[in-house]
Amino acid sequence: MSDFVDRVTVHVKGGDGGNGSAGIRREKFKPLAGPNGGNGGDGGSVIFVADTNATSLLDYRFMPHRNAGNGTMGLGDVKDGSKGADLILPVPPGTVIFEAKGAQGRPKHPGEVLADLRHAGDRFVAAAGGAGGLGNAALANRTRRAPGFALLGELGEERDVILELKSIADVALVGFPSAGKSSLIAAMSAAKPKIADYPFTTLVPNLGVVVAGDHRYTIADVPGLIPGASQGKGLGLEFLRHIERTEIIAHVIDCATLEPDRDPVSDYHALEHELAEYADKLELPLGAIPIPERPRIIVLNKVDVPEAKELADFVRPEFEKMGMRVFEISTASHEGLKELNFALAAMVTEMREEVARREADEEQSRVVIKPLEQNGRRRRRADEGGTALEFTVERKENANGDFWFEVTGTKPERWVMQTNFDNDEAVGYLADRLAKLGVEDELRRKGAKPGDEVRIGRGNRAVEFDWDPTIAAGAEMLDGAQLGARGKDLRLEGQEPGGRRRTNTERRRQYHEMMDAKAAVRAAMMAEREAGHWADPSVDDDRHDETSLFGRGDDAE
């Protein structure tokens, strides 16, 4: 079994953000000293990094699910939770990351290109971690002095991506099966590819590093191509991608083949046809030279065989008429390898300069907009307003005639995920945020009536509820005036007895008022006593008093 893997589907998930804390600071003589809940920690991200020490995508074939660390929950005393650890995944340079398309449970196919990690150190965040929820200390403001709730942490991004390795080599060796490509790499470099005398011996691309004087370059052995490879015949379609990043294409032609209807010139035209068919399907990276414009050389192999030597001498003028350089070699006797080596080194040096010039021109011609540098991750404000352009409201209906209103948008969907629906105050806070964003007005404009079903978000993360504008977006009085904003703590607003600490002046005033009230009560009682309003309790002078201790007046006698 081969240990080379050049395409694999990976499921990545960023870490979930930690929940915020809804703590209240309590001190001696201060039963409600204010909110002190900290923010939750942000989740870690899954990051792919091009690393020269990575040579294959084999690790991801056996471990296709990769998760970053979760953030921890906030604590009291305004202590923020810790951030989840980022997951760094090394991949070989030349790896292209695609969005995975396809139904769940079905094989995935590449979609949009997400990143092209061409150079060592290139990075791509495949799944961003979720932001931590704000604690009640961060949610407190002038009108909401002691929130009894906190925001939940956001879920980390989760998706499937396809990693596809396109070998970065200077020279690509192409040819029919058993043309001697692997033998050529073994003769010119320290690579040890599998070599045998049957077709399709090479099942995976081989790379070799070649030294020619002061120059170093790499050569790639593309598994044998046959007519129809660009349509999926043989092994060519799976490995043609490895010539996309090469700068020179070397046709290795077997001059000693015994197969009928084959000769060096027809082999060359057959291979060029497959390359042209495949080139039409390519989306070349920045500064890359199109395949038809890349320089070619012809390598006539196995000239150590007398018949092959005669055939090579016969077809050489035909290739030279096409404007190509021709080299006659033998991987068995090493004949002509030195000349080929230095010729390839000179061509590689020239092409590297050309590619660098093209990349510089492309970089100057395109406009790159970068965000302003920020220290750390920006904390979202507790109350984020917006415009109607930041969300959409659509009326949906199914085949049964059931309808609902679907609200989508970055802010509404994120706010719903941050809300703890077991806390009425948190639900009211969500309603106020949605009303401030303009969701309620847009629902009315779309024809929504109280009691209609409303869904915020799509898929498994959607939240459904029956719309009630009186409750869902702030209580309204009959005259249209709104009540105070949700989140106010009555204990701090002085609407509950003893809920607010009194000042010394208030204490003295209330004490004197209480003492004056007691003195007034005593004076009134004394005046009633002196006026004879009080009777002797031992005398039963009320015959109608059923609770009298001495009976009911005259009836007691």
mmCIF file with all atom_site columns, all heavy atoms in Angstrom, residues 147-167:
data_model
loop_
_atom_site.group_PDB
_atom_site.id
_atom_site.type_symbol
_atom_site.label_atom_id
_atom_site.label_alt_id
_atom_site.label_comp_id
_atom_site.label_asym_id
_atom_site.label_entity_id
_atom_site.label_seq_id
_atom_site.pdbx_PDB_ins_code
_atom_site.Cartn_x
_atom_site.Cartn_y
_atom_site.Cartn_z
_atom_site.occupancy
_atom_site.B_iso_or_equiv
_atom_site.pdbx_formal_charge
_atom_site.auth_seq_id
_atom_site.auth_comp_id
_atom_site.auth_asym_id
_atom_site.auth_atom_id
_atom_site.pdbx_PDB_model_num
ATOM 1   N N   . PRO A 1 147 ? -27.484 43.671 35.129 1.00 0.00 ? 147 PRO A N   1
ATOM 2   C CA  . PRO A 1 147 ? -28.138 42.617 34.334 1.00 0.00 ? 147 PRO A CA  1
ATOM 3   C C   . PRO A 1 147 ? -28.078 41.282 35.057 1.00 0.00 ? 147 PRO A C   1
ATOM 4   O O   . PRO A 1 147 ? -27.045 40.904 35.619 1.00 0.00 ? 147 PRO A O   1
ATOM 5   C CB  . PRO A 1 147 ? -27.313 42.583 33.036 1.00 0.00 ? 147 PRO A CB  1
ATOM 6   C CG  . PRO A 1 147 ? -26.576 43.886 33.003 1.00 0.00 ? 147 PRO A CG  1
ATOM 7   C CD  . PRO A 1 147 ? -26.342 44.268 34.426 1.00 0.00 ? 147 PRO A CD  1
ATOM 8   N N   . GLY A 1 148 ? -29.193 40.595 35.043 1.00 0.00 ? 148 GLY A N   1
ATOM 9   C CA  . GLY A 1 148 ? -29.248 39.273 35.659 1.00 0.00 ? 148 GLY A CA  1
ATOM 10  C C   . GLY A 1 148 ? -29.012 38.161 34.658 1.00 0.00 ? 148 GLY A C   1
ATOM 11  O O   . GLY A 1 148 ? -29.485 37.047 34.853 1.00 0.00 ? 148 GLY A O   1
ATOM 12  N N   . PHE A 1 149 ? -28.299 38.447 33.582 1.00 0.00 ? 149 PHE A N   1
ATOM 13  C CA  . PHE A 1 149 ? -28.040 37.451 32.546 1.00 0.00 ? 149 PHE A CA  1
ATOM 14  C C   . PHE A 1 149 ? -26.705 37.763 31.888 1.00 0.00 ? 149 PHE A C   1
ATOM 15  O O   . PHE A 1 149 ? -26.124 38.846 32.076 1.00 0.00 ? 149 PHE A O   1
ATOM 16  C CB  . PHE A 1 149 ? -29.157 37.468 31.491 1.00 0.00 ? 149 PHE A CB  1
ATOM 17  C CG  . PHE A 1 149 ? -29.183 38.721 30.661 1.00 0.00 ? 149 PHE A CG  1
ATOM 18  C CD1 . PHE A 1 149 ? -28.596 38.759 29.405 1.00 0.00 ? 149 PHE A CD1 1
ATOM 19  C CD2 . PHE A 1 149 ? -29.769 39.884 31.150 1.00 0.00 ? 149 PHE A CD2 1
ATOM 20  C CE1 . PHE A 1 149 ? -28.607 39.922 28.663 1.00 0.00 ? 149 PHE A CE1 1
ATOM 21  C CE2 . PHE A 1 149 ? -29.787 41.050 30.398 1.00 0.00 ? 149 PHE A CE2 1
ATOM 22  C CZ  . PHE A 1 149 ? -29.204 41.068 29.153 1.00 0.00 ? 149 PHE A CZ  1
ATOM 23  N N   . ALA A 1 150 ? -26.215 36.815 31.127 1.00 0.00 ? 150 ALA A N   1
ATOM 24  C CA  . ALA A 1 150 ? -24.996 36.971 30.333 1.00 0.00 ? 150 ALA A CA  1
ATOM 25  C C   . ALA A 1 150 ? -25.227 36.310 28.979 1.00 0.00 ? 150 ALA A C   1
ATOM 26  O O   . ALA A 1 150 ? -26.169 35.521 28.809 1.00 0.00 ? 150 ALA A O   1
ATOM 27  C CB  . ALA A 1 150 ? -23.792 36.358 31.044 1.00 0.00 ? 150 ALA A CB  1
ATOM 28  N N   . LEU A 1 151 ? -24.386 36.619 28.014 1.00 0.00 ? 151 LEU A N   1
ATOM 29  C CA  . LEU A 1 151 ? -24.521 36.053 26.675 1.00 0.00 ? 151 LEU A CA  1
ATOM 30  C C   . LEU A 1 151 ? -23.782 34.719 26.590 1.00 0.00 ? 151 LEU A C   1
ATOM 31  O O   . LEU A 1 151 ? -22.738 34.524 27.223 1.00 0.00 ? 151 LEU A O   1
ATOM 32  C CB  . LEU A 1 151 ? -23.967 37.013 25.621 1.00 0.00 ? 151 LEU A CB  1
ATOM 33  C CG  . LEU A 1 151 ? -24.647 38.381 25.526 1.00 0.00 ? 151 LEU A CG  1
ATOM 34  C CD1 . LEU A 1 151 ? -24.071 39.175 24.362 1.00 0.00 ? 151 LEU A CD1 1
ATOM 35  C CD2 . LEU A 1 151 ? -26.148 38.226 25.392 1.00 0.00 ? 151 LEU A CD2 1
ATOM 36  N N   . LEU A 1 152 ? -24.344 33.818 25.812 1.00 0.00 ? 152 LEU A N   1
ATOM 37  C CA  . LEU A 1 152 ? -23.703 32.529 25.581 1.00 0.00 ? 152 LEU A CA  1
ATOM 38  C C   . LEU A 1 152 ? -22.578 32.671 24.556 1.00 0.00 ? 152 LEU A C   1
ATOM 39  O O   . LEU A 1 152 ? -22.596 33.576 23.714 1.00 0.00 ? 152 LEU A O   1
ATOM 40  C CB  . LEU A 1 152 ? -24.733 31.507 25.081 1.00 0.00 ? 152 LEU A CB  1
ATOM 41  C CG  . LEU A 1 152 ? -25.961 31.270 25.967 1.00 0.00 ? 152 LEU A CG  1
ATOM 42  C CD1 . LEU A 1 152 ? -26.860 30.235 25.315 1.00 0.00 ? 152 LEU A CD1 1
ATOM 43  C CD2 . LEU A 1 152 ? -25.547 30.824 27.355 1.00 0.00 ? 152 LEU A CD2 1
ATOM 44  N N   . GLY A 1 153 ? -21.625 31.775 24.609 1.00 0.00 ? 153 GLY A N   1
ATOM 45  C CA  . GLY A 1 153 ? -20.549 31.779 23.633 1.00 0.00 ? 153 GLY A CA  1
ATOM 46  C C   . GLY A 1 153 ? -21.033 31.312 22.261 1.00 0.00 ? 153 GLY A C   1
ATOM 47  O O   . GLY A 1 153 ? -21.950 30.493 22.154 1.00 0.00 ? 153 GLY A O   1
ATOM 48  N N   . GLU A 1 154 ? -20.422 31.844 21.210 1.00 0.00 ? 154 GLU A N   1
ATOM 49  C CA  . GLU A 1 154 ? -20.795 31.447 19.860 1.00 0.00 ? 154 GLU A CA  1
ATOM 50  C C   . GLU A 1 154 ? -20.166 30.109 19.507 1.00 0.00 ? 154 GLU A C   1
ATOM 51  O O   . GLU A 1 154 ? -19.064 29.771 19.978 1.00 0.00 ? 154 GLU A O   1
ATOM 52  C CB  . GLU A 1 154 ? -20.342 32.504 18.851 1.00 0.00 ? 154 GLU A CB  1
ATOM 53  C CG  . GLU A 1 154 ? -20.982 33.869 19.051 1.00 0.00 ? 154 GLU A CG  1
ATOM 54  C CD  . GLU A 1 154 ? -20.485 34.866 18.027 1.00 0.00 ? 154 GLU A CD  1
ATOM 55  O OE1 . GLU A 1 154 ? -20.033 34.421 16.945 1.00 0.00 ? 154 GLU A OE1 1
ATOM 56  O OE2 . GLU A 1 154 ? -20.513 36.072 18.312 1.00 0.00 ? 154 GLU A OE2 1
ATOM 57  N N   . LEU A 1 155 ? -20.850 29.346 18.671 1.00 0.00 ? 155 LEU A N   1
ATOM 58  C CA  . LEU A 1 155 ? -20.316 28.076 18.208 1.00 0.00 ? 155 LEU A CA  1
ATOM 59  C C   . LEU A 1 155 ? -19.205 28.318 17.193 1.00 0.00 ? 155 LEU A C   1
ATOM 60  O O   . LEU A 1 155 ? -19.248 29.274 16.415 1.00 0.00 ? 155 LEU A O   1
ATOM 61  C CB  . LEU A 1 155 ? -21.424 27.228 17.577 1.00 0.00 ? 155 LEU A CB  1
ATOM 62  C CG  . LEU A 1 155 ? -22.585 26.833 18.487 1.00 0.00 ? 155 LEU A CG  1
ATOM 63  C CD1 . LEU A 1 155 ? -23.609 26.028 17.704 1.00 0.00 ? 155 LEU A CD1 1
ATOM 64  C CD2 . LEU A 1 155 ? -22.089 26.046 19.685 1.00 0.00 ? 155 LEU A CD2 1
ATOM 65  N N   . GLY A 1 156 ? -18.221 27.447 17.196 1.00 0.00 ? 156 GLY A N   1
ATOM 66  C CA  . GLY A 1 156 ? -17.134 27.560 16.230 1.00 0.00 ? 156 GLY A CA  1
ATOM 67  C C   . GLY A 1 156 ? -17.588 27.179 14.832 1.00 0.00 ? 156 GLY A C   1
ATOM 68  O O   . GLY A 1 156 ? -18.537 26.411 14.654 1.00 0.00 ? 156 GLY A O   1
ATOM 69  N N   . GLU A 1 157 ? -16.897 27.713 13.840 1.00 0.00 ? 157 GLU A N   1
ATOM 70  C CA  . GLU A 1 157 ? -17.231 27.388 12.450 1.00 0.00 ? 157 GLU A CA  1
ATOM 71  C C   . GLU A 1 157 ? -16.945 25.913 12.186 1.00 0.00 ? 157 GLU A C   1
ATOM 72  O O   . GLU A 1 157 ? -15.944 25.368 12.658 1.00 0.00 ? 157 GLU A O   1
ATOM 73  C CB  . GLU A 1 157 ? -16.413 28.266 11.508 1.00 0.00 ? 157 GLU A CB  1
ATOM 74  C CG  . GLU A 1 157 ? -16.809 28.168 10.054 1.00 0.00 ? 157 GLU A CG  1
ATOM 75  C CD  . GLU A 1 157 ? -16.006 29.106 9.163  1.00 0.00 ? 157 GLU A CD  1
ATOM 76  O OE1 . GLU A 1 157 ? -15.103 29.784 9.695  1.00 0.00 ? 157 GLU A OE1 1
ATOM 77  O OE2 . GLU A 1 157 ? -16.271 29.147 7.951  1.00 0.00 ? 157 GLU A OE2 1
ATOM 78  N N   . GLU A 1 158 ? -17.812 25.287 11.404 1.00 0.00 ? 158 GLU A N   1
ATOM 79  C CA  . GLU A 1 158 ? -17.688 23.852 11.131 1.00 0.00 ? 158 GLU A CA  1
ATOM 80  C C   . GLU A 1 158 ? -17.995 23.600 9.664  1.00 0.00 ? 158 GLU A C   1
ATOM 81  O O   . GLU A 1 158 ? -19.029 24.048 9.155  1.00 0.00 ? 158 GLU A O   1
ATOM 82  C CB  . GLU A 1 158 ? -18.654 23.063 12.016 1.00 0.00 ? 158 GLU A CB  1
ATOM 83  C CG  . GLU A 1 158 ? -18.554 21.555 11.877 1.00 0.00 ? 158 GLU A CG  1
ATOM 84  C CD  . GLU A 1 158 ? -19.443 20.830 12.863 1.00 0.00 ? 158 GLU A CD  1
ATOM 85  O OE1 . GLU A 1 158 ? -20.234 21.509 13.558 1.00 0.00 ? 158 GLU A OE1 1
ATOM 86  O OE2 . GLU A 1 158 ? -19.365 19.596 12.951 1.00 0.00 ? 158 GLU A OE2 1
ATOM 87  N N   . ARG A 1 159 ? -17.112 22.875 8.970  1.00 0.00 ? 159 ARG A N   1
ATOM 88  C CA  . ARG A 1 159 ? -17.333 22.579 7.558  1.00 0.00 ? 159 ARG A CA  1
ATOM 89  C C   . ARG A 1 159 ? -16.362 21.515 7.075  1.00 0.00 ? 159 ARG A C   1
ATOM 90  O O   . ARG A 1 159 ? -15.412 21.141 7.788  1.00 0.00 ? 159 ARG A O   1
ATOM 91  C CB  . ARG A 1 159 ? -17.176 23.832 6.703  1.00 0.00 ? 159 ARG A CB  1
ATOM 92  C CG  . ARG A 1 159 ? -15.778 24.458 6.739  1.00 0.00 ? 159 ARG A CG  1
ATOM 93  C CD  . ARG A 1 159 ? -15.726 25.643 5.811  1.00 0.00 ? 159 ARG A CD  1
ATOM 94  N NE  . ARG A 1 159 ? -14.498 26.400 5.927  1.00 0.00 ? 159 ARG A NE  1
ATOM 95  C CZ  . ARG A 1 159 ? -14.242 27.501 5.228  1.00 0.00 ? 159 ARG A CZ  1
ATOM 96  N NH1 . ARG A 1 159 ? -15.133 27.944 4.379  1.00 0.00 ? 159 ARG A NH1 1
ATOM 97  N NH2 . ARG A 1 159 ? -13.109 28.146 5.384  1.00 0.00 ? 159 ARG A NH2 1
ATOM 98  N N   . ASP A 1 160 ? -16.610 21.040 5.855  1.00 0.00 ? 160 ASP A N   1
ATOM 99  C CA  . ASP A 1 160 ? -15.732 20.079 5.191  1.00 0.00 ? 160 ASP A CA  1
ATOM 100 C C   . ASP A 1 160 ? -14.898 20.807 4.149  1.00 0.00 ? 160 ASP A C   1
ATOM 101 O O   . ASP A 1 160 ? -15.407 21.671 3.418  1.00 0.00 ? 160 ASP A O   1
ATOM 102 C CB  . ASP A 1 160 ? -16.538 18.973 4.509  1.00 0.00 ? 160 ASP A CB  1
ATOM 103 C CG  . ASP A 1 160 ? -17.242 18.072 5.506  1.00 0.00 ? 160 ASP A CG  1
ATOM 104 O OD1 . ASP A 1 160 ? -16.724 17.944 6.631  1.00 0.00 ? 160 ASP A OD1 1
ATOM 105 O OD2 . ASP A 1 160 ? -18.302 17.512 5.182  1.00 0.00 ? 160 ASP A OD2 1
ATOM 106 N N   . VAL A 1 161 ? -13.628 20.471 4.081  1.00 0.00 ? 161 VAL A N   1
ATOM 107 C CA  . VAL A 1 161 ? -12.736 21.020 3.063  1.00 0.00 ? 161 VAL A CA  1
ATOM 108 C C   . VAL A 1 161 ? -12.009 19.873 2.389  1.00 0.00 ? 161 VAL A C   1
ATOM 109 O O   . VAL A 1 161 ? -11.847 18.783 2.962  1.00 0.00 ? 161 VAL A O   1
ATOM 110 C CB  . VAL A 1 161 ? -11.730 22.019 3.660  1.00 0.00 ? 161 VAL A CB  1
ATOM 111 C CG1 . VAL A 1 161 ? -12.432 23.237 4.230  1.00 0.00 ? 161 VAL A CG1 1
ATOM 112 C CG2 . VAL A 1 161 ? -10.870 21.354 4.731  1.00 0.00 ? 161 VAL A CG2 1
ATOM 113 N N   . ILE A 1 162 ? -11.587 20.103 1.167  1.00 0.00 ? 162 ILE A N   1
ATOM 114 C CA  . ILE A 1 162 ? -10.818 19.122 0.408  1.00 0.00 ? 162 ILE A CA  1
ATOM 115 C C   . ILE A 1 162 ? -9.401  19.657 0.245  1.00 0.00 ? 162 ILE A C   1
ATOM 116 O O   . ILE A 1 162 ? -9.204  20.778 -0.241 1.00 0.00 ? 162 ILE A O   1
ATOM 117 C CB  . ILE A 1 162 ? -11.459 18.841 -0.958 1.00 0.00 ? 162 ILE A CB  1
ATOM 118 C CG1 . ILE A 1 162 ? -12.808 18.141 -0.769 1.00 0.00 ? 162 ILE A CG1 1
ATOM 119 C CG2 . ILE A 1 162 ? -10.539 17.986 -1.825 1.00 0.00 ? 162 ILE A CG2 1
ATOM 120 C CD1 . ILE A 1 162 ? -13.529 17.853 -2.070 1.00 0.00 ? 162 ILE A CD1 1
ATOM 121 N N   . LEU A 1 163 ? -8.435  18.858 0.669  1.00 0.00 ? 163 LEU A N   1
ATOM 122 C CA  . LEU A 1 163 ? -7.024  19.197 0.489  1.00 0.00 ? 163 LEU A CA  1
ATOM 123 C C   . LEU A 1 163 ? -6.517  18.472 -0.741 1.00 0.00 ? 163 LEU A C   1
ATOM 124 O O   . LEU A 1 163 ? -6.671  17.254 -0.861 1.00 0.00 ? 163 LEU A O   1
ATOM 125 C CB  . LEU A 1 163 ? -6.211  18.795 1.720  1.00 0.00 ? 163 LEU A CB  1
ATOM 126 C CG  . LEU A 1 163 ? -6.697  19.296 3.080  1.00 0.00 ? 163 LEU A CG  1
ATOM 127 C CD1 . LEU A 1 163 ? -5.742  18.845 4.174  1.00 0.00 ? 163 LEU A CD1 1
ATOM 128 C CD2 . LEU A 1 163 ? -6.831  20.800 3.084  1.00 0.00 ? 163 LEU A CD2 1
ATOM 129 N N   . GLU A 1 164 ? -5.898  19.226 -1.632 1.00 0.00 ? 164 GLU A N   1
ATOM 130 C CA  . GLU A 1 164 ? -5.374  18.638 -2.864 1.00 0.00 ? 164 GLU A CA  1
ATOM 131 C C   . GLU A 1 164 ? -3.932  19.089 -3.030 1.00 0.00 ? 164 GLU A C   1
ATOM 132 O O   . GLU A 1 164 ? -3.640  20.284 -3.064 1.00 0.00 ? 164 GLU A O   1
ATOM 133 C CB  . GLU A 1 164 ? -6.212  19.083 -4.065 1.00 0.00 ? 164 GLU A CB  1
ATOM 134 C CG  . GLU A 1 164 ? -5.819  18.398 -5.361 1.00 0.00 ? 164 GLU A CG  1
ATOM 135 C CD  . GLU A 1 164 ? -6.771  18.738 -6.486 1.00 0.00 ? 164 GLU A CD  1
ATOM 136 O OE1 . GLU A 1 164 ? -7.884  18.187 -6.523 1.00 0.00 ? 164 GLU A OE1 1
ATOM 137 O OE2 . GLU A 1 164 ? -6.391  19.583 -7.327 1.00 0.00 ? 164 GLU A OE2 1
ATOM 138 N N   . LEU A 1 165 ? -3.036  18.130 -3.100 1.00 0.00 ? 165 LEU A N   1
ATOM 139 C CA  . LEU A 1 165 ? -1.615  18.420 -3.212 1.00 0.00 ? 165 LEU A CA  1
ATOM 140 C C   . LEU A 1 165 ? -1.209  18.466 -4.676 1.00 0.00 ? 165 LEU A C   1
ATOM 141 O O   . LEU A 1 165 ? -1.408  17.504 -5.426 1.00 0.00 ? 165 LEU A O   1
ATOM 142 C CB  . LEU A 1 165 ? -0.794  17.359 -2.466 1.00 0.00 ? 165 LEU A CB  1
ATOM 143 C CG  . LEU A 1 165 ? 0.731   17.468 -2.608 1.00 0.00 ? 165 LEU A CG  1
ATOM 144 C CD1 . LEU A 1 165 ? 1.218   18.818 -2.079 1.00 0.00 ? 165 LEU A CD1 1
ATOM 145 C CD2 . LEU A 1 165 ? 1.416   16.327 -1.866 1.00 0.00 ? 165 LEU A CD2 1
ATOM 146 N N   . LYS A 1 166 ? -0.650  19.611 -5.061 1.00 0.00 ? 166 LYS A N   1
ATOM 147 C CA  . LYS A 1 166 ? -0.094  19.775 -6.407 1.00 0.00 ? 166 LYS A CA  1
ATOM 148 C C   . LYS A 1 166 ? 1.396   20.006 -6.238 1.00 0.00 ? 166 LYS A C   1
ATOM 149 O O   . LYS A 1 166 ? 1.826   21.060 -5.789 1.00 0.00 ? 166 LYS A O   1
ATOM 150 C CB  . LYS A 1 166 ? -0.764  20.944 -7.126 1.00 0.00 ? 166 LYS A CB  1
ATOM 151 C CG  . LYS A 1 166 ? -2.277  20.749 -7.281 1.00 0.00 ? 166 LYS A CG  1
ATOM 152 C CD  . LYS A 1 166 ? -2.926  21.905 -7.992 1.00 0.00 ? 166 LYS A CD  1
ATOM 153 C CE  . LYS A 1 166 ? -4.431  21.672 -8.150 1.00 0.00 ? 166 LYS A CE  1
ATOM 154 N NZ  . LYS A 1 166 ? -5.109  22.770 -8.854 1.00 0.00 ? 166 LYS A NZ  1
ATOM 155 N N   . SER A 1 167 ? 2.163   18.975 -6.571 1.00 0.00 ? 167 SER A N   1
ATOM 156 C CA  . SER A 1 167 ? 3.597   18.993 -6.281 1.00 0.00 ? 167 SER A CA  1
ATOM 157 C C   . SER A 1 167 ? 4.262   20.222 -6.893 1.00 0.00 ? 167 SER A C   1
ATOM 158 O O   . SER A 1 167 ? 4.010   20.583 -8.046 1.00 0.00 ? 167 SER A O   1
ATOM 159 C CB  . SER A 1 167 ? 4.260   17.732 -6.831 1.00 0.00 ? 167 SER A CB  1
ATOM 160 O OG  . SER A 1 167 ? 3.689   16.584 -6.256 1.00 0.00 ? 167 SER A OG  1
#
